[in-house]
Amino acid sequence: MEIPFVEMTPDRKREALSRLEKEITTTEEEVRMLKMLREIAQGAPEARVCQKHGVDKERLREQYRRIVHKRKAKARKYRILSFDGGGDKTIISLAMLKRLEEKAPFLKNIDMITGISAGGVNALIMALAGKRGIVKAIDLCLDFWLDKVTVIPHLWTLLPGILGIAPFSPNSASIENFKSLLAKTSDAAPPEKLTLAHVCDYDMAVFVFNLKAQASRLNYSQERLLKNLRKKFPDDCHQFGKESLEEVKIWLPFSYSNMRSIVKFADTDLDASLLHAMLGTSAAPIIFPVFRNTVDGGIFAANPSIGGLTRAMSHLSLSEGEQPPNREPLPEARLENIEILSLGVGMYDNYIHAHNPCMGWGAWIFDPHNPLALMNMVLGSTYTFSNIVSAALLKDAYFRLDTKLNVKTYQLNSKPVKLKMLRAGMDAWIGTAYEWLHERGWTTSRADD
């Protein structure tokens, strides 16, 4: 709650005036307001100052609140927590996050949580839990991935999966597991009735890959320009670009989000089901069925930092200066106003030493030392590419936290291996991450900024 200027101590009044004089003397009205505040700071009664300048007392106070609001929006950063995808390896992300939060609580100060695949499930649960329940949500997610997730729930599904006529696992086990997790997180509604509207304290974006999306052949800027031209010159341009504006069906990245979006590749319908978002973002091809024409978002970006950055810029450009309920004013849509903490899922030695440059498909797929090498290379490259681009765009405002993992992908999904992943996350070096959080002000309450 902002303290009225007249109720501040003399030192606080001088400090507040100093800030305002440096930052907002852009209009005649603002200059007059600063002059009045200066007189009040020097001891003149508020009522007499308002009468002298012919300004209502409530008008003066409202203008002061509005300008302070404007200054805060200009000064603050938009903070994003990003979860990589990676199935059960997300245990590592959660373990590192749990240790960071215990050492220096910061999760109540973030603005947005984004994730993909298993990381998307984490992001959704933590955003749903809200500021009061987010720490407990970390433990809920850890327990879920350690104890509840079973990739192949029934042995009889193995044969169709091996023959390639069906996925290895039906959705039935995932549906029940996700319902249980949602029920433990929120009692606002039955699990199947929880929607994006129930995510209130944080902005959130969970990514999937839509196999048959509707898309214009033009990008957003071209489409907007063309529509403006047709409005201005209807007689000359009624046929111009008609073919280009027709939509085509292609596969596209897509996000479930409670944030505003410039482009249409996001389900910002607040009635969208959280259960559906969980099933879509975790629908790994071959392993699980396609869910409502969507599959695991890790297909296009196992590290969702770039996706989160894009959604944040789109949201801020449409919401600039607004103040969401119980939150600080939103900053301008500028890269320098965005900071990202990206949580990895463990790195392991996974490379190809091409003794024979003429490698055939057998070596790319059935090499006993690196099975499914081609698939691992294609999917793994999305981690590093997103990491490189995010660091290039945000520089020091982007921090990547990851650790070494001595487990191969084909060894995953057993209890002993899950415990090894938990140990890897608990032993990871987080000192530099803590320093980054501290230097960037993530560990400081917004009210103290």
Side-chain angles (χ1 to χ4, degrees):
M1 180 70 71
E2 189 67 44
I3 302 175
F5 184 81
V6 294
E7 298 178 13
M8 293 181 181
T9 63
D11 288 342
R12 286 289 301 275
K13 287 178 180 177
R14 284 191 290 271
E15 181 183 349
L17 271 176
S18 177
R19 289 178 180 175
L20 295 178
E21 287 172 346
K22 290 178 181 178
E23 298 177 16
I24 43 100
T25 55
T26 55
T27 68
E28 182 179 343
E29 188 177 15
E30 288 173 352
V31 172
R32 183 176 63 171
M33 185 207 69
L34 288 174
K35 183 178 180 181
M36 295 172 65
L37 293 178
R38 197 176 296 113
E39 293 178 15
I40 294 173
Q42 292 171 353
E46 181 187 28
R48 184 182 301 172
V49 171
C50 291
Q51 183 178 12
K52 174 183 174 182
H53 292 273
V55 176
D56 180 70
K57 180 174 66 174
E58 291 303 320
R59 168 67 177 167
L60 175 63
R61 293 187 177 187
E62 174 58 32
Q63 189 176 24
Y64 173 75
R65 284 193 293 268
R66 181 175 58 81
I67 294 181
V68 168
H69 172 104
K70 175 182 174 182
R71 182 186 64 79
K72 284 186 174 182
K74 183 179 179 180
R76 93 171 188 87
K77 304 296 183 182
Y78 188 85
R79 297 162 179 165
I80 303 173
L81 177 66
S82 173
F83 283 98
D84 280 12
D88 292 337
K89 291 187 294 180
T90 197
I91 291 169
I92 296 172
S93 302
L94 292 166
M96 295 189 296
L97 179 63
K98 180 179 175 67
R99 291 172 58 214
L100 269 179
E101 179 67 10
E102 289 173 349
K103 184 176 178 65
F106 70 94
L107 290 175
K108 291 184 178 180
N109 300 325
I110 62 176
D111 297 285
M112 175 185 176
I113 310 176
T114 186
I116 215 159
S117 190
V121 174
N122 297 339
L124 189 149
I125 291 299
M126 292 174 62
L128 176 64
K131 294 184 183 294
R132 292 185 178 181
I134 193 168
V135 176
K136 180 183 176 183
I138 299 175
D139 292 327
L140 284 176
C141 290
L142 268 173
D143 291 342
F144 176 77
W145 294 110
L146 285 168
D147 301 327
K148 300 297 183 183
V149 176
T150 306
V151 172
I152 303 175
H154 305 292
L155 291 178
W156 58 266
T157 63
L158 275 173
L159 184 57
I162 292 172
L163 294 175
I165 61 175
F168 280 101
S169 176
N171 267 339
S172 53
S174 296
I175 291 173
E176 293 307 313
N177 286 336
F178 288 152
K179 281 185 177 181
S180 175
L181 182 57
L182 287 169
K184 292 177 182 177
T185 307
S186 174
D187 58 1
E192 61 276 9
K193 298 292 185 181
L194 288 170
T195 66
L196 289 173
H198 291 99
V199 180
C200 302
D201 287 352
Y202 297 103
D203 295 333
M204 181 201 73
V206 170
F207 293 92
V208 299
F209 198 62
N210 194 324
L211 299 181
K212 195 175 71 173
Q214 297 281 350
S216 169
R217 300 181 189 181
L218 301 178
N219 63 36
Y220 173 74
S221 298
Q222 292 171 326
E223 186 173 332
R224 183 177 59 177
L225 177 61
L226 183 56
K227 287 182 177 179
N228 287 339
L229 286 173
R230 294 176 71 179
K231 285 181 180 178
K232 290 181 179 179
F233 309 104
D235 296 334
D236 300 324
C237 299
H238 66 282
Q239 290 294 329
F240 180 65
K242 184 177 180 180
E243 181 180 348
S244 297
L245 284 175
E246 292 177 356
E247 293 187 329
V248 293
K249 293 181 173 63
I250 58 175
W251 43 36
L252 278 173
F254 185 83
S255 66
Y256 286 91
S257 178
N258 61 347
M259 305 162 66
R260 294 181 179 181
S261 177
I262 292 176
V263 295
K264 64 179 68 175
F265 311 129
D267 193 342
T268 54
D269 179 3
L270 294 182
D271 292 329
S273 167
L274 298 185
L275 179 60
H276 291 174
M278 296 169 82
L279 289 167
T281 194
S282 60
I286 301 175
I287 304 298
F288 293 108
V290 173
F291 182 78
R292 296 199 170 193
N293 226 38
T294 60
V295 295
D296 193 322
I299 293 295
F300 74 92
N303 175 350
S305 297
I306 284 295
L309 174 61
T310 304
R311 295 293 292 110
M313 289 291 287
S314 177
H315 177 66
L316 292 177
S317 67
L318 296 174
S319 311
E320 192 173 297
E322 293 185 3
Q323 183 166 6
N326 303 316
R327 292 168 62 185
E328 290 293 313
L330 294 173
E332 296 179 1
R334 302 168 63 91
L335 282 178
E336 55 264 36
N337 290 335
I338 296 178
E339 299 174 337
I340 299 179
L341 172 61
S342 174
L343 299 176
V345 291
M347 301 174 290
Y348 52 85
D349 293 327
N350 194 25
Y351 60 92
I352 297 174
H353 190 85
H355 296 286
N356 176 15
C358 299
M359 294 169 59
W361 61 267
W364 284 104
I365 299 175
F366 296 116
D367 183 347
H369 300 292
N370 199 349
L372 300 177
L374 181 60
M375 182 183 296
N376 290 332
M377 182 181 68
V378 172
L379 295 179
S381 63
T382 66
Y383 288 105
T384 51
F385 179 74
S386 185
N387 188 42
I388 291 169
V389 174
S390 298
L393 290 174
L394 298 181
K395 300 180 174 60
D396 292 340
Y398 174 79
F399 190 92
R400 175 73 171 172
L401 179 59
D402 212 343
T403 188
K404 180 72 179 289
L405 177 63
N406 295 315
V407 177
K408 291 290 187 179
T409 54
Y410 53 83
Q411 296 175 316
L412 302 180
N413 307 319
S414 68
K415 188 70 173 184
V417 172
K418 290 181 181 182
L419 293 177
K420 285 184 180 180
M421 290 188 282
L422 178 62
R423 175 51 56 191
M426 297 305 291
D427 291 342
W429 171 248
I430 63 170
T432 49
Y434 167 73
E435 291 298 328
W436 184 84
L437 291 172
H438 182 70
E439 290 175 2
R440 291 277 164 178
W442 286 43
T443 58
T444 304
S445 172
R446 295 282 195 194
D448 299 330
D449 286 352

